[in-house]
Amino acid sequence: MAKRALITGITGQDGSYLAEFLLSRGYQVHGIIRRASTFNTRRIDHIYQDPHNPEASLVLHYGDLSSSEQLTNLIYNIQPEEIYHLGAQSHVRVSFEMPEYTGNITALGTTRLLEAIRRSGIKTHFYQASSSEMFGNAPAPQNENTPFQPRSPYGAAKVYAYWITVNYREAYRLFCCNGVLFNHESPRRGETFVTRKITRAVAHILAGKQKKLFLGNLESKRDWGYAPEYVEAMWRMLQQERPDDYVLGTGEPHSVKEFLAAAFGYVGLDWKEWVEMDPKYLRPTEVDLLIADTAKARQKLSWEPKIRFEELVRIMIDADMEAEGLVPVGEGVAILRSRFPDWHQWGNAVTLAVQSAQGQALE
Ligand code: NAP
Ligand code: G4F
């Protein structure tokens, strides 16, 4: 019998990669999606399976983290061996505009799920998507022992969810883990998070669709990793003998400014000519510096991220350029390399030529 896993937030960035990963390991994957008036399954359309097929290994169910009745029914009916709770109002800036809603979904959503597990009496392993945003102002580098000092309604809601997860582990002996993940990105990252906003803008600028990019604070530093690598570590946490909490990140901080320089620089543009500040993107309180200390995950989960900052930027830009019908920079260089066998003698010049040609196409 295939193992059954339930994912909340399966339509999000992490949920989609995790679903792919679990399917590849032979799981039957159940996902909770929200009812919307238009399709909201774009990130998982490529793994969609006909629900009429009794053998389907991906099954979607309507549900919402605001409704405990529905969550209880789903857990009771599916009886999953593993539950990955990724659903949340996950945008920090938005949480200042919708603090109560963020608390209801991001904090209480976790209690609703844990209570459904406890009441159903099923034996399951539970993963809570905790966040480095919980550290807020705490000095870097941050690890599993760093006290939380949240700086946003989102961060505060995640701190609540973190502790209720620990409480159900201690009070009811449930197998519950917190993955305290630092920022992780990909071509599937939501378009309003800063990395994707930047890489998408670069592609739009090259395609002639956008003239300016408006951003907020460029000084804050984040520890940006590559999302597909992080979902495997979620799974590893639930395969351990004992439940525990783990920090995941790269240990490498970069500022938003550095991300801009890397992204625009990759296509031969100077970010300063394209970016303008809009105070509406500033936050009432900001988290200045996040750096993960991942010694525990390295030792206990044998987990180490491979994709580093520069490569992450390249992956995201290439994907956004492809989506705009442009030749991704990496591919453009490969084509030139194949046409000019002695290219290694003047490789850098070719790279620059491709990049500046794409930049000049704007004029
Ligand atoms: P995401 O792309 O924003 O996805 C969030 C998911 O939650 C979506 O599937 C969304 O559904 C669902 N959702 C939102 N409100 C819901 C509700 N009321 N009922 C049911 N589902 C709801 O987030 P992500 O980047 O994949 O992150 C996954 C989780 O990890 C989140 O809990 C996030 O807070 C946390 N986290 C993320 C990072 C990061 O850097 N990505 C770091 C640390 C922690 P729709 O598609 O319908 O909107
Ligand atoms: O991309 P961001 O919105 O990510 P943030 O706030 O770090 O939150 C993300 O990571 C958390 C983990 O630490 C997750 F828990 C959370 O769910 C989410 O995935 O902003 C990154 C930085 C901030 O300092 C922000 O002020 O970029 C700065 N920024 C500057 N201009 C901007 C913008 N952020 C956004 N979203 N949009 C801007 O225009």
Side-chain angles (χ1 to χ4, degrees):
M1 268 277 277
K3 257 188 167 179
R4 288 176 306 277
L6 173 66
I7 305 177
T8 72
I10 193 170
T11 55
Q13 171 189 256
D14 291 5
S16 65
Y17 286 120
L18 179 65
E20 277 173 15
F21 175 80
L22 293 175
L23 288 171
S24 76
R25 298 196 80 93
Y27 278 70
Q28 185 181 68
V29 176
H30 294 259
I32 299 181
I33 63 168
R34 293 197 279 182
R35 148 78 192 145
S37 65
T38 52
F39 287 125
N40 58 356
T41 51
R42 183 174 42 91
R43 291 188 180 104
I44 50 170
D45 281 348
H46 61 292
I47 51 173
Y48 178 81
Q49 295 179 23
D50 186 343
H52 302 102
N53 174 5
E55 307 285 303
S57 51
L58 177 69
V59 188
L60 301 176
H61 309 264
Y62 285 114
D64 198 291
L65 290 164
S66 61
S67 159
S68 48
E69 181 198 5
Q70 221 167 359
L71 297 175
T72 307
N73 287 343
L74 283 173
I75 284 176
Y76 189 78
N77 292 334
I78 299 166
Q79 307 244 332
E81 281 97 348
E82 292 171 19
I83 299 177
Y84 296 87
H85 176 36
L86 310 181
Q89 189 305 88
S90 71
H91 203 284
V92 175
R93 180 72 189 80
V94 171
S95 78
F96 286 98
E97 277 156 43
M98 307 175 75
E100 183 185 337
Y101 176 79
T102 302
N104 187 17
I105 301 307
T106 305
L108 285 180
T110 304
T111 308
R112 291 187 185 104
L113 268 176
L114 287 167
E115 199 41 22
I117 294 168
R118 187 182 75 80
R119 280 166 184 262
S120 71
I122 63 161
K123 288 246 166 303
T124 192
H125 289 191
F126 178 83
Y127 173 87
Q128 162 62 22
S130 286
S131 164
S132 55
E133 180 71 15
M134 302 187 304
F135 293 122
N137 256 353
Q142 295 96 357
N143 65 26
E144 293 78 4
N145 301 316
T146 306
F148 303 132
Q149 296 182 36
R151 300 264 289 166
S152 62
Y154 168 82
K158 283 286 184 186
V159 170
Y160 170 90
Y162 172 96
W163 283 116
I164 199 74
T165 300
V166 173
N167 181 244
Y168 272 62
R169 181 164 78 210
E170 292 174 351
Y172 307 114
R173 302 264 174 268
L174 299 188
F175 190 110
C176 302
C177 300
N178 278 291
V180 183
L181 272 54
F182 284 60
N183 300 50
H184 45 281
E185 320 293 310
S186 74
R188 293 187 200 164
R189 183 56 142 154
E191 292 84 350
T192 60
F193 296 94
V194 79
T195 54
R196 184 74 199 291
K197 190 169 165 183
I198 293 169
T199 60
R200 198 159 167 263
V202 166
H204 279 183
I205 287 168
L206 291 174
K209 288 185 179 171
Q210 191 170 335
K211 297 221 176 306
K212 283 282 166 210
L213 169 61
F214 292 95
L215 294 174
N217 176 20
L218 308 185
E219 304 301 331
S220 56
K221 291 188 171 171
R222 292 291 183 270
D223 177 330
W224 280 299
Y226 184 46
E229 297 187 325
Y230 287 56
V231 300
E232 176 163 357
M234 297 174 186
W235 174 78
R236 288 193 190 192
M237 285 179 212
L238 297 199
Q239 313 313 308
Q240 301 302 302
E241 215 162 283
R242 285 193 187 79
D244 207 343
D245 308 318
Y246 301 88
V247 156
L248 301 181
T250 67
E252 218 185 282
H254 291 279
S255 65
V256 176
K257 233 181 224 171
E258 285 170 321
F259 196 99
L260 279 168
F264 280 79
Y266 183 45
V267 300
L269 296 178
D270 179 356
W271 68 269
K272 293 190 197 82
E273 290 170 21
W274 301 94
V275 174
E276 272 182 32
M277 209 271 217
D278 183 341
K280 103 170 163 213
Y281 297 116
L282 296 174
R283 295 160 186 198
T285 39
E286 175 64 277
V287 171
D288 296 324
L289 175 63
L290 292 173
I291 312 174
D293 164 6
T294 57
K296 182 174 173 182
R298 264 186 277 130
Q299 198 212 332
K300 300 232 162 130
L301 304 176
S302 306
W303 181 81
E304 184 99 57
K306 293 184 188 65
I307 305 285
R308 295 295 164 155
F309 180 72
E310 297 286 342
E311 193 176 352
L312 172 67
V313 173
R314 290 198 292 269
I315 290 171
M316 292 179 71
I317 293 267
D318 278 350
D320 275 324
M321 296 211 9
E322 207 166 356
E324 286 306 317
L326 301 164
V327 179
V329 179
E331 208 177 292
V333 171
I335 291 168
L336 280 169
R337 198 188 266 160
S338 69
R339 297 220 178 124
F340 302 98
D342 59 346
W343 101 291
H344 59 274
Q345 290 173 20
W346 37 287
N348 277 344
V350 172
T351 308
L352 287 173
V354 173
Q355 292 171 342
S356 74
Q358 282 175 322
Q360 275 157 20
L362 301 173
E363 288 154 16

